[in-house]
Amino acid sequence: MVSIISFKKSTRQMGFSSFLFLFLLYPLPLKVLTVDAFTGTYGVNYGRIADNLPPPATVAVLLRSARIKNTRIYDADQSVLKAFNGSGIEIIVGLGNEYLKDMSANADQAMDWVKENVESFLPGTKIVGIAVGNEVFGSTDQDLWDGLLGTVKNVYNALDRLHLTSVVQISSPHSEAVFATTFPPSSGAFRDDILPYMKQLLEFFWEIGSPFYVNAYPFLAYMSDPEHIDIRYALFQKNPGAYDSKTNLHYDNMFDAQIDAAYAALEKVGFDKMEVIVSETGWASHGDADEPGATLQNAFTYNHHLRKRLAKKKGTPYRPKIVVKAYVFALFNENLKPGPTSERNFGLFKADGRIAYDIGFKGLVSSSPSLSMKVKGYQGWFKSFCSLFALLLILRP
């Protein structure tokens, strides 16, 4: 009996030792331990280049009333992060391009930034991600290209030292300018000049389990070639669609085609399992004379169909099992944004809380002219009411 027990004990010890040896020899990828920074499929970008927007506490009420769970901001503004405390809204903060050159060579600066702008607000404010830079490879600034990966690693290492890598995800959104080709979708490929930088970034993101974020705008594609692009294809309307002969797949809208072009580009460089998330998409409701398609009706049509498409929780023709997730640009019209008129007219909501057009959301203020005039006359009362309402929502059990 003793010999049998000893044998079983020895066998268990050998089994554990063998398992430990295999674990050390073939460690599980870090990506298993990372956070999912997106709840559901629909989010919005909360841009604030304006002088007429409601206070952040009111915005938190607006998002909750619209049942929008996910949002992105382009900085780490503390007034926003304080106002969103207790709201339950999941937020990705932005670390701007202006930080990349210095922070890539300064781990202490990255740690200070994370402590001040992320750790100090957790867990009350649900910061679930940090977007490091914005459309970096779409710029012509070589210093930004050189600094992106180093900054990403320093920020991630800061999160790791603070034990926050299971709470906060690192990402870096890209524009369509990173691609050499996107049509048909199977031909999607990264530009040769950025490929050495992109591959290193993708390798690190794969190790830590981060997705590929891309800003996908059928609006911009249509505007660049309105004579050859069917606007119905860009707007999710009934149209003949496009056929990809390599994959034998049919596309009835450009949004899906742009996402699959990103998947094809990733596949060509060895990252066929990486998820693609749309960090920005939208349609301008007003534009200059040379901005075809920038109309209120088209903005309504695109965003209405986009919301319905995302609500179906389905994938794309090329990646049918990976549910599409997207952040709409933008929450508000931003009256101080530079550039063409369209840049200031992407908002789902107007600055006073009214909806810009009805795609199923309810504004904090009625869209009727009479009530809008009353609110304008009692602006201070409105802001106080919304702030109180926000507090009541936060304190509600």
Side-chain angles (χ1 to χ4, degrees):
M1 177 69 72
V2 175
S3 60
I4 294 175
I5 293 174
S6 298
F7 173 77
K8 289 182 177 179
K9 183 177 180 181
S10 175
T11 302
R12 286 198 300 269
Q13 289 174 340
M14 288 175 63
F16 176 77
S17 299
S18 300
F19 172 79
L20 182 61
F21 172 76
L22 289 172
F23 179 81
L24 293 173
L25 186 62
Y26 303 106
L28 292 173
L30 292 175
K31 63 196 292 295
V32 174
L33 305 176
T34 56
V35 64
D36 183 357
F38 203 120
T39 297
T41 60
Y42 192 94
V44 295
N45 288 278
Y46 172 21
R48 304 186 322 281
I49 305 177
D51 61 5
N52 60 350
L53 299 183
T58 304
V59 175
V61 174
L62 179 63
L63 290 172
R64 289 195 61 171
S65 68
R67 297 186 178 181
I68 296 174
K69 183 74 172 177
N70 310 282
T71 190
R72 296 175 68 243
I73 59 176
Y74 293 88
D75 53 20
D77 185 270
Q78 300 209 350
S79 66
V80 174
L81 298 178
K82 289 176 182 176
F84 278 48
N85 180 57
S87 68
I89 297 166
E90 298 182 357
I91 184 168
I92 292 180
V93 298
L95 191 155
N97 292 350
E98 65 273 16
Y99 290 95
L100 300 185
K101 183 178 180 180
D102 293 336
M103 198 174 289
S104 65
N106 192 332
D108 289 339
Q109 184 185 7
M111 175 62 79
D112 291 342
W113 190 93
V114 171
K115 284 182 175 179
E116 179 181 355
N117 297 293
V118 178
E119 184 190 38
S120 62
F121 292 96
L122 294 171
T125 301
K126 294 194 68 175
I127 299 173
V128 296
I130 302 173
V132 179
N134 187 50
E135 299 188 340
V136 171
F137 296 138
S139 78
T140 57
D141 189 338
Q142 189 67 43
D143 288 339
L144 295 182
W145 294 25
D146 293 333
L148 179 57
L149 180 60
T151 302
V152 165
K153 288 184 175 181
N154 282 339
V155 171
Y156 179 81
N157 289 336
L159 290 172
D160 190 36
R161 288 169 59 190
L162 296 170
H163 308 290
L164 294 176
T165 55
S166 63
V167 179
V168 181
Q169 184 185 79
I170 302 292
S171 62
S172 185
H174 303 286
S175 71
E176 290 281 321
V178 301
F179 303 113
T181 56
T182 57
F183 186 82
S186 61
S187 71
F190 293 113
R191 284 169 27 203
D192 288 340
D193 59 328
I194 70 165
L195 200 51
Y197 299 89
M198 182 65 80
K199 285 191 71 173
Q200 292 181 54
L201 185 67
L202 293 174
E203 285 168 1
F204 185 70
F205 278 162
W206 176 251
E207 289 177 6
I208 65 174
S210 291
F212 180 82
Y213 278 84
V214 63
N215 297 340
Y217 282 95
F219 168 73
L220 296 179
Y222 171 77
M223 195 167 62
S224 69
D225 192 11
E227 293 184 5
H228 297 98
I229 295 177
D230 188 341
I231 194 169
R232 296 172 300 169
Y233 180 62
L235 291 173
F236 297 97
Q237 293 177 316
K238 188 175 181 180
N239 68 94
Y243 176 70
D244 191 325
S245 59
K246 182 178 180 180
T247 58
N248 291 323
L249 295 174
H250 180 267
Y251 290 85
D252 58 15
N253 70 84
M254 187 184 292
F255 178 74
D256 281 4
Q258 289 182 330
I259 296 172
D260 275 352
Y263 275 122
L266 290 169
E267 186 175 291
K268 287 179 175 66
V269 292
F271 297 95
D272 56 303
K273 302 298 183 183
M274 182 173 282
E275 180 184 13
V276 173
I277 294 179
V278 177
S279 39
E280 289 183 18
T281 189
W283 199 284
S285 60
H286 184 57
D288 295 320
D290 61 348
E291 295 186 290
T295 68
L296 187 66
Q297 180 61 43
N298 287 341
F300 160 77
T301 301
Y302 182 80
N303 282 295
H304 173 68
H305 287 300
L306 174 67
R307 190 180 179 207
K308 288 174 62 177
R309 188 254 178 272
L310 294 174
K312 292 178 181 178
K313 298 182 179 180
K314 67 176 186 177
T316 60
Y318 194 53
R319 289 286 186 268
K321 295 182 180 180
I322 304 178
V323 175
V324 174
K325 304 170 185 176
Y327 291 89
V328 176
F329 188 86
L331 188 58
F332 295 108
N333 289 335
E334 297 173 76
N335 68 336
L336 296 183
K337 286 197 76 173
T341 298
S342 61
E343 285 290 329
R344 296 178 287 281
N345 289 279
F346 275 89
L348 298 175
F349 294 88
K350 297 180 179 180
D352 62 3
R354 291 181 295 161
I355 56 173
Y357 39 83
D358 188 1
I359 62 169
F361 294 130
K362 300 298 182 183
L364 290 177
V365 185
S366 169
S367 294
S368 65
S370 58
L371 186 54
S372 297
M373 291 174 62
K374 290 179 182 179
V375 170
K376 187 175 181 180
Y378 293 96
Q379 189 175 18
W381 173 86
F382 171 68
K383 289 183 177 180
S384 298
F385 169 77
C386 288
S387 297
L388 178 60
F389 186 36
L391 180 61
L392 291 174
L393 283 175
I394 291 170
L395 294 177
R396 187 180 65 180

